[in-house]
Amino acid sequence: MASIPLDYVNYKSTSVFEINSVPKMFLHLHNTKAGVFGQIHVLNGELKFYGFTDRRGEIEQELIIKGGEVAVSPPQYWHKVEFLTQDTRFRVDFWAHKDSEIVAQNLSERDE
């Protein structure tokens, strides 16, 4: 799993998601734009992270993230998550270089 460089800052966070409130895009293949790391914080339950070789690629990795654990998705990495328990709650923090345009203008973390 990737790690966030020291000169990156957390510039945006999602609300806490539960099985009934998670945006559908998180459950399907998506990625972040160049320069943006996603840091997944599982607060309760278990979440399965799937990483893919590319947009239409094969599953490259599967990781179970338990309550109290954190995982990092690197920039432009195709991934999705799956709820493993009904009580799962998580949020995502987005990180970018402290001097980047993304941080300066609070731009979207996804490629449009």
Side-chain angles (χ1 to χ4, degrees):
M1 188 71 26
S3 60
I4 299 168
L6 295 177
D7 56 352
Y8 276 47
V9 295
N10 172 213
Y11 75 95
K12 183 188 282 189
S13 298
T14 67
S15 57
V16 173
F17 298 128
E18 297 177 354
I19 200 161
N20 295 322
S21 65
V22 66
K24 299 298 180 210
M25 79 154 207
F26 282 95
L27 307 176
H28 301 283
L29 262 119
H30 65 283
N31 71 357
T32 56
K33 66 172 56 174
V36 177
F37 286 82
Q39 185 179 46
I40 305 160
H41 296 263
V42 175
L43 307 171
N44 197 61
E46 293 183 358
L47 194 69
K48 191 170 197 178
F49 175 92
Y50 295 88
F52 296 83
T53 55
D54 58 44
R55 186 175 190 168
R56 305 217 188 284
E58 299 294 317
I59 294 173
E60 179 175 60
Q61 65 174 316
E62 295 180 31
L63 176 66
I64 294 176
I65 314 164
K66 298 180 180 185
E69 295 179 347
V70 175
V72 175
S73 182
Q76 298 183 300
Y77 187 64
W78 289 97
H79 61 281
K80 69 177 185 175
V81 298
E82 174 187 353
F83 283 81
L84 295 181
T85 62
Q86 292 292 312
D87 65 343
T88 298
R89 296 172 51 241
F90 77 100
R91 78 165 196 277
V92 181
D93 293 337
F94 296 100
W95 296 74
H97 189 272
K98 63 182 181 178
D99 298 326
S100 70
E101 191 72 13
I102 294 167
V103 170
Q105 295 191 21
N106 197 28
L107 299 175
S108 174
E109 64 279 0
R110 293 184 292 131
D111 283 327
E112 301 299 324

